[in-house]
Amino acid sequence: MKVFGFRADPNSPRFAIVEKVDEQFTLLNSSSDNKLAYPVQCIEVSDRLVWLYREFERIIIAHEGISSVVIKANEYGTESSSKRFSSYQDAALVLLCGFRGIRVDVKTYNSLSTKSADVKIHAASRVGQTTKYWDVKMADAVVAAWWGINNI
């Protein structure tokens, strides 16, 4: 079973592909593709979202057998342009999953049983961590995917 965990970011969204086999969790992209940095020519929001949608398609095709997607959404609070753009990124993934018939769950820290200060420790201890670009956003994606595998 494979789950795609996603964490939006205005500049470089992060994703984790976690697989569970015989009660063993594996972060399939721990040393490969996990940071979606926008090409320099993608300046407009619409250009970025089209590019990101295509990247989501590429990831889902490359990791055949993804049964679920879990998005770590922004926490509730004040609105900002970067949070609004993160919501657009989440929506692009939800739309793709709708077209492909893939289950989607949207979670916050509370529903993932963690918090920003602890998420890196929780992700590393539950599944593992990436060999590069290891940060809170990546840990969010890992914990989201881990949650998805345990709640399908």
Side-chain angles (χ1 to χ4, degrees), residues 32-122:
S32 62
D33 191 16
N34 61 51
K35 183 177 181 181
L36 300 169
Y38 292 104
V40 293
Q41 67 271 21
C42 286
I43 297 168
E44 298 297 322
V45 169
S46 59
D47 294 334
R48 286 180 165 217
L49 292 175
V50 167
W51 179 86
L52 187 60
Y53 184 93
R54 290 182 178 142
E55 284 297 291
F56 290 149
E57 285 182 314
R58 178 187 62 78
I59 293 163
I60 287 172
I61 290 167
H63 295 278
E64 186 179 341
I66 290 174
S67 57
S68 177
V69 170
V70 181
I71 297 169
K72 167 42 183 97
N74 287 321
E75 300 302 305
Y76 301 112
T78 58
E79 181 73 12
S80 67
S81 61
S82 65
K83 283 188 176 183
R84 190 171 301 128
F85 183 57
S86 293
S87 295
Y88 300 160
Q89 293 173 354
D90 294 346
L93 183 53
V94 170
L95 182 63
L96 175 67
C97 291
F99 285 139
R100 291 184 171 264
I102 299 171
R103 174 186 166 163
V104 177
D105 290 288
V106 180
K107 298 294 179 183
T108 60
Y109 281 129
N110 188 46
S111 59
L112 293 172
S113 301
T114 191
K115 54 188 176 181
S116 181
D118 300 331
V119 73
K120 286 174 71 177
I121 294 166
H122 287 163

